[in-house]
Amino acid sequence: MVRNIFSRVRKSVDSETKSSSKAQAPSTIGVLSSMLGPSGRITLGSLKWFIQESGRDYFIEVVQNPVLIGSALNAESLSASEHLEEESGVSSNLYKLHKTHIVNMDDQITKVSGPGSSLPYAIYPLMKRTDAESHADTFKIGRTKDNDMSMKAMAISKLHAVIRMSKGAFYIHDCGSTNSSKLNDRRLTDKPVKLRDKDIISLGNFDFTFLTPASLHDLLTKS
């Protein structure tokens, strides 16, 4: 039955890939866009299923764009992290955060409790949701739900940073965030900086690794 589902999904992906081949900006593509949650995240289980059913070459072809994965996701911890992927069961009142909290970057408490506690386990494809309102080549990162990558944590500003695609490359810049953004420990400004495979992006006190589809595939198949 799973294979029948995948066959239908693959046909849909192939159709959308062909129809979007003339577009210059990145687009949502078939099965992956359907896997995106309201915060712009995708579950580890969904990715592993897709890898098992598609194979390496097809996975890379369909994913196309890089992803940001949380600091806790590595080959040793992937298998134990699935239950923390989504912040389910937490009162929505906790997410009504109107003011960014200034945090001590050495304070581990904000990483292990409350809103944002699952961010170290998050996977954010740099892909637009079907309901996204921002420009197709722009990925807004921030605390509020209108961002392409919604990070519900007190250390994250409403609009924290932006990643843009230009001629196949990805560039990040800070948006005047309260707790800053860093690239490989260097503080970002409003000047865009090019991202490279396996770069470490720090947003407030949360770290993410920038991975190409090939690197993501290789990491997941090791777990």
Side-chain angles (χ1 to χ4, degrees):
M1 181 176 180
V2 171
R3 291 192 177 279
N4 290 335
I5 294 174
F6 180 73
S7 295
R8 293 197 299 271
V9 165
R10 183 160 184 162
K11 184 180 292 186
S12 174
V13 171
D14 288 338
S15 175
E16 291 208 22
T17 301
K18 290 178 181 178
S19 64
S20 63
S21 61
K22 297 180 181 179
Q24 295 182 353
S27 61
T28 54
I29 298 180
V31 61
L32 292 186
S33 63
S34 69
M35 291 179 183
L36 293 179
S39 62
R41 291 162 63 165
I42 191 168
T43 66
L44 179 59
S46 296
L47 278 177
K48 284 189 171 183
W49 170 82
F50 191 54
I51 283 176
Q52 292 171 355
E53 296 296 325
S54 63
R56 190 175 192 273
D57 291 342
Y58 190 71
F59 178 84
I60 293 170
E61 176 187 349
V62 172
V63 175
Q64 293 189 359
N65 293 343
V67 301
L68 298 185
I69 67 167
S71 58
L73 293 182
N74 52 55
E76 289 72 33
S77 65
L78 277 170
S79 59
S81 65
E82 290 176 318
H83 68 288
L84 287 172
E85 285 178 317
E86 293 295 338
E87 294 166 313
S88 58
V90 180
S91 171
S92 60
N93 289 330
L94 291 175
Y95 295 158
K96 296 178 181 178
L97 306 172
H98 300 294
K99 184 177 181 180
T100 306
H101 289 212
I102 299 174
V103 299
N104 179 347
M105 295 306 166
D106 295 323
D107 180 8
Q108 298 299 310
I109 295 177
T110 56
K111 295 185 180 182
V112 297
S113 62
S117 59
S118 71
L119 285 173
Y121 303 88
I123 303 173
Y124 289 98
L126 297 187
M127 174 181 293
K128 306 295 289 187
R129 300 193 309 273
T130 54
D131 62 343
E133 297 180 358
S134 56
H135 196 273
D137 64 358
T138 300
F139 299 87
K140 298 192 302 179
I141 304 170
R143 189 175 70 239
T144 56
K145 63 182 181 180
D146 58 314
N147 288 287
D148 300 298
M149 297 168 56
S150 178
M151 299 173 61
K152 300 179 179 71
M154 295 178 289
I156 303 300
S157 296
K158 291 181 179 179
L159 177 59
H160 200 100
V162 165
I163 295 176
R164 287 192 172 90
M165 191 184 91
S166 177
K167 299 179 180 179
F170 289 80
Y171 299 82
I172 187 170
H173 68 85
D174 186 71
C175 294
S177 61
T178 301
N179 291 305
S180 78
S181 306
K182 295 180 180 179
L183 179 61
N184 300 324
D185 279 335
R186 293 190 175 185
R187 187 164 183 164
L188 293 169
T189 65
D190 58 359
K191 181 179 179 181
V193 178
K194 186 176 181 179
L195 290 167
R196 301 181 186 281
D197 189 29
K198 300 180 182 178
D199 275 347
I200 304 299
I201 298 171
S202 301
L203 304 164
N205 58 341
F206 297 98
D207 295 336
F208 292 86
T209 304
F210 177 85
L211 293 178
T212 63
S215 292
L216 174 65
H217 179 279
D218 294 345
L219 173 65
L220 294 181
T221 52
K222 289 179 182 177
S223 62

